[in-house]
Amino acid sequence: MDSNSSLPFSDRLALGETEFQDFKETISSERKIAKTMGSLANTKGGTIWVGVRDNRTFRSIDPLGEQYRLEQAAEHFCDPPLELEFKVHRIGTYRILEVTVPESLHKPVYSLRDDDQWMVYIRVKDESMLATKTMVEVLQRQSSEEPITIELGSKEQFLLDYLKEHPHITLKEYSDLMNLGLRRARRIVVDLLAAGLIRVKYKDKEEYYCR
């Protein structure tokens, strides 16, 4: 869960948009907010502040109306549906809605897009980013009731050793180095990510793996 959730209200807003929190002036589209909620639920959970602009100034909202739209999005545009928590803060004449999105125990959470496609999003810094096939499989593995166990064969050990000497590698680079098909290379990367032996990072929206 959001490691900053214990900070005072004003201090949390001062952090700006992060991996754990997002600002919305108002909820104009259930499908758009479902993308944000799904990305938070698929990562570590977080907070959506409604009535807060990107520059951290406030606007007048109807908290009950905003809450209704959020509940509709969580129930009908997220699969599995999400359970949200709400709190209203008053700052002068403004009312700000704090929406807590818990980390899901049933990943991946799918969000319904405007083109009626159900997609998986994850939170990367202050953005909700479309998850790669690799990360969707990692989320599935991490939510499984089966224990995560892997055998470290030569292909797995090569990747671990490579990442001791190099800062990162992409799936395509690993596939080419080992002369493996992308499907086989992805299965190995998914196993190592799910087991916590390697980590994922992003640069310019490209996915990399590192120790």
Side-chain angles (χ1 to χ4, degrees):
M1 186 54 190
D2 181 356
S3 60
N4 300 310
S5 59
S6 61
L7 293 175
F9 167 67
S10 58
D11 290 349
R12 295 170 68 189
L13 289 185
L15 294 172
E17 292 188 310
T18 68
E19 178 184 358
F20 302 107
Q21 66 179 15
D22 198 273
F23 297 159
K24 299 294 181 188
E25 286 192 50
T26 186
I27 305 305
S28 58
S29 165
E30 284 88 352
R31 297 193 186 210
K32 287 182 179 178
I33 199 62
K35 170 183 172 180
T36 302
M37 293 191 297
S39 72
L40 291 169
N42 281 327
T43 311
K44 297 179 181 178
T47 305
I48 300 170
W49 300 95
V50 185
V52 181
R53 298 184 178 93
D54 288 346
N55 63 2
R56 284 169 277 180
T57 60
F58 308 127
R59 64 159 290 171
S60 297
I61 62 167
D62 170 16
L64 290 179
E66 302 291 351
Q67 179 173 333
Y68 174 78
R69 285 185 285 274
L70 285 154
E71 289 174 333
Q72 291 295 301
E75 181 176 355
H76 300 295
F77 298 96
C78 293
D79 185 24
L82 300 175
E83 293 287 337
L84 308 176
E85 298 174 10
F86 300 93
K87 183 186 297 184
V88 177
H89 299 267
R90 183 177 290 277
I91 304 177
T93 60
Y94 297 101
R95 287 177 295 174
I96 306 302
L97 184 62
E98 176 184 355
V99 187
T100 300
V101 183
E103 180 177 358
S104 178
L105 299 177
H106 306 286
K107 300 175 185 178
V109 174
Y110 288 81
S111 302
L112 187 61
R113 299 197 311 191
D114 288 337
D115 59 2
D116 290 330
Q117 296 293 312
W118 288 94
M119 306 299 290
V120 176
Y121 294 89
I122 56 175
R123 193 75 177 172
V124 178
K125 296 183 179 179
D126 60 349
E127 294 186 36
S128 298
M129 196 168 80
L130 187 65
T132 63
K133 186 174 182 179
T134 300
M135 288 310 299
V136 172
E137 292 183 13
V138 170
L139 293 173
Q140 291 170 336
R141 286 287 301 278
Q142 290 176 338
S143 292
S144 172
E145 295 182 358
E146 297 293 325
I148 297 174
T149 57
I150 64 171
E151 294 185 10
L152 293 180
S154 60
K155 297 178 178 61
E156 290 82 2
Q157 194 61 55
F158 173 87
L159 181 52
L160 294 175
D161 291 342
Y162 179 91
L163 290 175
K164 288 181 181 178
E165 304 295 332
H166 302 82
H168 52 67
I169 193 171
T170 66
L171 180 64
K172 180 67 166 55
E173 288 168 344
Y174 175 56
S175 172
D176 290 344
L177 282 172
M178 294 299 294
N179 195 27
L180 294 171
L182 279 177
R183 182 179 297 181
R184 174 64 178 137
R186 181 180 293 110
R187 283 203 301 269
I188 294 171
V189 168
V190 167
D191 285 344
L192 294 173
L193 284 168
L197 295 176
I198 62 173
R199 297 179 296 123
V200 62
K201 285 191 174 182
Y202 297 89
K203 183 178 180 181
D204 298 327
K205 297 190 177 182
E206 185 170 11
E207 192 169 274
Y208 296 86
Y209 312 108
C210 60
R211 292 295 296 267

